[in-house]
Amino acid sequence: MTTIDGSGPGSGVSTPPFLSSISRRTSISLSLPASRRGSGTVPTMTGKDLPFHHRTHEDEELPHATKKTMADHLRKYESLFTLTPQRMRMIVDAFEETLDKGLQKEGEVVPMIPTFVFGWPRGSETGSYLALDLGGTNLRVCLVTLAGGGKFEITQTKYRLSEEQKQEEGELLFDFCAKCLKTFVDSYLADFDLQGAAIPLGFTFSYPCEQERIDHGRLIRWTKGFGNPNVEGYDVAAMFRASLAKHNVPVELVSLINDTTGTLIASQYVNPRTRIGVIFGTGCNAAYMERIGNIPKIKHLGLPDDGEMAINCEWGAFDSFTHEHLPRTKYDIDIDQTSNKPDEQAFEKLISGRYLGEIFRLVICEMIDDGSIFLGQNTYKIEKPYVLETAFLSLMEADPTEELLTVVGIFTHFYGLETTLAERQFFRALAKLIGTRAARLSACGIAAIVSKMGYLEQGCDVAADGSLYSKYPGFPDRVHQGLFDIFGPKGNNIRTVHAEDGSGVGSAIIAAMTNERRAAGLFPHC
C-alpha cells in the first residue's frame, strides 16, 4: 500500500532551475461568494473588464488539507488504480487470445500487421543509410553507418513537431518531413560522392499501416493525437515520395517500417537474445518475430511456412470498442470520450506518456470540485486539458527533498497554486499509483507475447524504447515486478533492456536487408 510521508526517493535527480529559490507566500483572505466554483469580471479604471476565477468554501481557512484527509483520499485512489496479480493474469489471457485473432484475418481490433521484414539480421550488414523517424513528439533524421559485427555509427538531428502540424493537411506534414530531410542531407552529406545515385532511406512511420510489401503502407488510423486529414486510407510511402520529389531530395525510399519493428531489429543486431521490441513513450506498441505458417491471413502470398516475419502488433488498440478486459476508471473514460478517437486505442490511453499526466489532472480537478484542495485559489490554469504533462509526474516521483520542493515548484510556477506538505505527499503518491498501473499493464502486454511464443522457460530479452521507459522513475522495475507477479519466479527469465535510438538504427538495418533481398530477386515480397 502506498503511504504518505515526508521522505523522497533518493534518486539523485537534480532540482529544476525554477525551484532554486522558493519561498512560501502568505495566503490572502478574500471576500468571495460561498460557492466552490466561480468566475466573473470586475470593471477596471480603464473601462475594461478583468476576469476572475475562484474556488472557495464558507468559513474555511487556508491551507486546510491535512495529512489525515489526504490519506483518506489516497485510500480511495489506491482501490481504483491498483492491479492485483490475479487481475493481471486475466488480462494476459484475453490479450493472448486477441493477438491470435489478429493473425487469423484482416480487420481485427489489434491488427497484427505483417511487416515484410523477413527474419533476423545476420549482424554482417554494412553500408551507409538514411533513416527518418516520424514519432509522436519529434521528427528524427539519422545517418547510420553499419560496420558489421553488430557495430554501427549514427549521426542524427531532431525536429520538434507542433500540435498544429499534427492536425494540418497531410500533404503539408510530409512536405515538412522532406524539407527537414533535405536540410540534413545538405548539412551532413555534402562530402559524399553519390555519383548520381540516390541515397537509400528507411522511413520509420510509427502508425498502423496495412502493407503489401516493404516499401508500401496504407495508413489504417492515426494514433498518438495525430489527426492530419487526407492521410488515413492512403499509401503514406507514395505521399512521402511525392514530397521528396517536390523538394528535390536525392534519396530513394527503400523500406517503410514501424518504430517498434526497428527497435526489435536494431536490438537483435547487437544482442541476439532479443525476441520482443516494445515502445513505451507518447504511444505504446510491440513487435516480435512470428513463424509465417502461423499467419493464416497471408497464406495466399505463397511464402514458405517455415520462414519468419516480424509482426507489428499495434497493441495500443487492445480492448477497444468493447472495453471488456481493462480496468478503466471514470477518468480514463473521460479521456477516451473527449479524445479525437473515442473508443479507440483503449490500451494506449491507460499506459502511454500522452495520457498519464491528464489522468492525474482529472483527479486533481475532481478534488477541486469536491472542495478538498486549493480552496480560495485561482485554479483555472490547471483546468485546461493536457496542461499537466506526464513529465511532471516523473519529477514528483523523483523529488529528493523532505519538503518536496520540486512539487512546490511545479504547482507554483506553472499553475500559481499553493500546496501544503500533506497535499504534496498525496500528489506524489497519486503519481506513483498512476505510473505503477501503467507499468503493470505494460507487463501484461509483454507477458501475452511471451506466453504465446513459449519464451518463458528459456527466457529472452525485451528491447524497450520510449521516454516513459527511459525517463520515468522506477518504470522498468515496476514492469519486472509485474512480470514476476504474472509468472512467479520464472518471470525473472524475461528481462527488459533499454534500446535507445533503436528505431533509427533498425530502419537502416532493414533497408540494408531489403536491398540484399532485392539483389537476390526476392522482390516484391521483401
Side-chain angles (χ1 to χ4, degrees):
M1 180 171 287
T2 309
T3 59
I4 297 182
D5 55 41
S7 61
S11 63
V13 176
S14 58
T15 303
F18 63 79
L19 302 180
S20 57
S21 57
I22 293 177
S23 61
R24 296 304 304 268
R25 294 179 292 179
T26 303
S27 297
I28 302 175
S29 297
L30 299 174
S31 178
L32 297 171
S35 64
R36 287 196 293 271
R37 181 189 292 269
S39 62
T41 59
V42 176
T44 64
M45 295 180 66
T46 61
K48 294 183 178 180
D49 289 336
L50 178 68
F52 69 85
H53 308 262
H54 66 265
R55 309 271 183 180
T56 188
H57 253 183
E58 269 189 316
D59 304 325
E60 294 207 44
E61 294 182 359
L62 302 175
H64 76 285
T66 66
K67 188 170 183 177
K68 181 181 183 305
T69 58
M70 289 294 97
D72 290 341
H73 283 292
L74 184 60
R75 280 190 288 273
K76 167 188 171 183
Y77 294 110
E78 280 177 334
S79 65
L80 287 175
F81 289 108
T82 298
L83 268 180
T84 65
Q86 181 181 10
R87 183 65 185 272
M88 294 172 73
R89 285 189 283 269
M90 293 171 63
I91 292 170
V92 170
D93 290 343
F95 217 131
E96 185 177 351
E97 182 180 338
T98 300
L99 299 181
D100 280 329
K101 285 182 179 179
L103 294 174
Q104 298 294 322
K105 60 181 181 179
E106 301 290 353
E108 291 297 305
V109 172
V110 175
M112 301 295 282
I113 300 169
T115 64
F116 296 91
V117 175
F118 292 93
W120 301 109
R122 300 188 315 276
S124 59
E125 291 81 3
T126 59
S128 294
Y129 297 85
L130 282 169
L132 185 140
D133 183 354
L134 181 64
T137 305
N138 298 303
L139 172 71
R140 193 156 54 99
V141 183
C142 313
L143 173 64
V144 181
T145 300
L146 304 175
K151 297 179 181 178
F152 61 86
E153 293 181 0
I154 182 169
T155 302
Q156 63 179 315
T157 299
K158 290 183 180 180
Y159 303 87
R160 185 80 174 184
L161 289 164
S162 69
E163 290 302 313
E164 290 74 22
Q165 286 175 308
K166 296 178 183 181
Q167 308 301 328
E168 67 187 8
E169 183 68 27
E171 182 181 346
L172 296 178
L173 176 66
F174 289 110
D175 282 349
F176 172 74
C177 295
K179 291 175 186 176
C180 292
L181 183 57
K182 182 174 177 58
T183 299
F184 183 89
V185 169
D186 291 344
S187 299
Y188 293 101
L189 277 74
D191 297 333
F192 271 56
D193 183 10
L194 300 176
Q195 298 180 335
I199 310 163
L201 169 72
F203 184 19
T204 303
F205 185 75
S206 307
Y207 308 89
C209 292
E210 287 182 354
Q211 292 189 264
E212 299 172 357
R213 58 184 188 272
I214 191 68
D215 61 351
H216 159 277
R218 184 179 65 82
L219 179 62
I220 298 172
R221 61 179 173 272
W222 282 117
T223 59
K224 305 177 190 175
F226 276 71
N228 305 76
N230 297 316
V231 183
E232 291 183 344
Y234 291 87
D235 179 2
V236 295
M239 292 184 72
F240 189 38
R241 284 193 186 95
S243 291
L244 292 173
K246 183 192 302 184
H247 296 283
N248 299 311
V249 190
V251 302
E252 178 193 7
L253 198 162
V254 173
S255 58
L256 178 76
I257 67 161
N258 185 275
D259 56 351
T260 321
T261 308
T263 296
L264 173 69
I265 296 299
S267 297
Q268 216 276 342
Y269 183 73
V270 300
N271 173 18
R273 196 173 184 268
T274 303
R275 289 292 176 270
I276 301 170
V278 292
I279 301 289
F280 300 123
T282 308
C284 69
N285 197 12
Y288 72 102
M289 196 67 67
E290 182 63 87
R291 183 176 175 272
I292 291 175
N294 294 333
I295 317 173
K297 65 184 178 183
I298 61 170
K299 192 172 182 62
H300 64 282
L301 296 178
L303 299 170
D305 283 351
D306 59 352
E308 290 185 304
M309 184 187 292
I311 295 294
N312 165 26
C313 300
E314 290 296 341
W315 73 6
F318 171 64
D319 204 36
S320 293
F321 305 108
T322 57
H323 307 299
E324 295 175 333
H325 308 294
L326 294 173
R328 297 202 306 168
T329 66
K330 59 183 176 182
Y331 318 106
D332 302 308
I333 295 170
D334 190 342
I335 286 173
D336 176 41
Q337 292 303 305
T338 56
S339 71
N340 64 337
K341 299 282 188 179
D343 290 320
E344 298 184 29
Q345 298 300 106
F347 189 54
E348 180 178 286
K349 287 170 182 172
L350 296 187
I351 71 174
S352 82
R354 175 170 176 79
Y355 301 103
L356 299 189
E358 181 65 2
I359 296 170
F360 181 97
R361 191 193 68 83
L362 288 176
V363 173
I364 297 302
C365 287
E366 178 183 66
M367 295 179 70
I368 292 171
D369 286 342
D370 289 345
S372 301
I373 55 174
F374 302 145
L375 292 179
Q377 299 191 59
N378 294 333
T379 56
Y380 62 95
K381 286 185 178 180
I382 205 169
E383 292 173 15
K384 182 180 178 181
Y386 292 92
V387 75
L388 199 152
E389 299 178 8
T390 299
F392 291 165
L393 274 62
S394 178
L395 287 170
M396 291 180 201
E397 282 213 51
D399 193 337
T401 63
E402 186 174 342
E403 292 293 315
L404 300 181
L405 297 181
T406 300
V407 184
V408 171
I410 289 170
F411 280 93
T412 57
H413 182 79
F414 292 100
Y415 312 111
L417 294 169
E418 295 289 337
T419 56
T420 67
L421 179 58
E423 288 170 339
R424 296 194 294 275
Q425 291 166 345
F426 169 81
F427 296 149
R428 186 176 64 178
L430 177 63
K432 185 175 181 179
L433 285 173
I434 293 170
T436 298
R437 184 186 70 160
R440 290 173 72 80
L441 284 171
S442 300
C444 292
I446 293 172
I449 297 177
V450 168
S451 179
K452 174 183 170 9
M453 299 302 293
Y455 292 148
L456 186 59
E457 293 294 333
Q458 186 175 357
C460 70
D461 283 357
V462 179
D465 199 4
S467 55
L468 198 61
Y469 182 87
S470 62
K471 296 180 180 179
Y472 200 100
F475 193 89
D477 291 338
R478 294 170 193 173
V479 171
H480 295 156
Q481 182 61 50
L483 290 169
F484 183 91
D485 288 347
I486 293 166
F487 291 125
K490 288 183 180 179
N492 292 330
N493 295 342
I494 310 302
R495 184 179 65 175
T496 64
V497 180
H498 185 208
E500 188 173 5
D501 294 330
S503 59
V505 175
S507 186
I509 295 169
I510 291 168
M513 294 168 64
T514 300
N515 277 345
E516 288 183 0
R517 290 182 64 84
R518 278 181 166 175
L522 297 174
F523 192 80
H525 297 311
C526 69

